[in-house]
Amino acid sequence: MPTARDALLDAAHSALATLPWSAVRMVDVASAAGVSRQTLYNEFGSKDGLARALVRGAADSYLAGVERALGSAGGTGDRLAATAAWTVRAVRANALVRGLLTGCWSERLPRPVRPPAQTASLVPAQRRADAGAPTPAELLGQVGARAAAALDEGRPPHDPRALAATCEIALRLALSYALVPAPPGTEGEPAPLVREAVERRPPG
C-alpha cells in the first residue's frame, strides 16, 4: 500500500502533466493524494521541498533503470547499449530526467534548488535525503561508477579511464538521440552505434 509520501509525489507528478510548476498548489496536491495539507508540509516542509523530492525521485528512478540495464545479459557492448536505450526512453518519458541529464529546465518544471542550511537534528531524515539533485556532470559520474562496478564484476578488470570514456560516449549518443530524434525511416535508437563503438574500441 503506498505511503502518504508516495501518494503526494504521485499527485504532484500528475499535476505537472497539465500545469506549470508555478501553478501547482499545495492544497490541490494534498487533496488529490487524499491527505491533509499539514501532512504534505510535514513530509516536505515547503513547496521547494516537494520540488526537491520530485527531482531527487526522478534521479533515483533513472539510476535504478541504469542498474537494471547494466545487469542485463550480454557483454560490455550489449549492456552499455541497454543503458543507452534506457536513457533515451527515460528522457523522452520524463521531463525531470531530461532536465537532470541536460541541465535545461523549462519554466514548467520545478527547479532543483538547494535548501537553506539547517541544523540536521531539526530536519527529518527523509527531507535531508531530498537535499539536492545531482548536476548533469555528477549524474554522468554516478552512471559511470555503476557501469564500472557492474562491468568489472566477475570479469578481467577494465582500464578505468577507457571504461569511463566508453560509458560517456554511450550516454552522449543516447542524449543526442533523445533530444534530436532520427529522421523517419532511419535507425532511431543508439544501441547499434554503442555496440559498434565498444567492439571497435573495447574499454580495457
Side-chain angles (χ1 to χ4, degrees):
M1 182 176 179
T3 64
R5 180 182 178 85
D6 292 335
L8 286 163
L9 288 171
D10 286 344
H13 271 296
S14 296
L16 266 179
T18 57
L19 295 171
W21 182 246
S22 60
V24 174
R25 301 194 311 159
M26 297 286 271
V27 63
D28 294 334
V29 172
S31 177
V35 302
S36 70
R37 186 167 57 171
Q38 186 58 51
T39 297
L40 175 52
Y41 281 100
N42 288 346
E43 286 288 341
F44 303 105
S46 65
K47 189 175 180 182
D48 280 347
L50 177 58
R52 285 192 295 275
L54 281 171
V55 175
R56 180 70 256 176
D60 291 343
S61 177
Y62 168 67
L63 289 171
V66 166
E67 291 185 347
R68 288 192 298 272
L70 289 168
S72 60
T76 297
D78 294 321
R79 295 160 84 182
L80 285 179
T83 303
W86 158 246
T87 297
V88 170
R89 293 195 305 274
V91 169
R92 289 176 178 169
N94 190 328
L96 293 175
V97 174
R98 180 186 179 118
L100 283 161
L101 284 167
T102 64
C104 298
W105 297 89
S106 79
E107 294 180 358
R108 293 187 58 86
L109 299 176
R111 289 183 171 274
V113 294
R114 299 280 178 175
Q118 293 175 298
T119 303
S121 62
L122 300 178
V123 181
Q126 184 56 59
R127 275 196 237 159
R128 293 200 298 275
D130 295 333
T135 65
E138 290 169 343
L139 191 54
L140 184 65
Q142 291 178 33
V143 174
R146 283 163 169 75
L151 297 174
D152 277 343
E153 189 176 85
R155 294 171 174 78
H158 294 295
D159 175 351
R161 288 179 299 179
L163 179 57
T166 303
C167 183
E168 183 167 352
I169 289 169
L171 284 182
R172 291 190 184 280
L173 274 172
L175 285 173
S176 72
Y177 273 80
L179 299 177
V180 185
T186 63
E187 178 59 57
E189 298 298 333
L193 283 178
V194 171
R195 287 193 191 92
E196 184 177 347
V198 172
E199 288 171 3
R200 288 188 177 186
R201 183 187 174 186

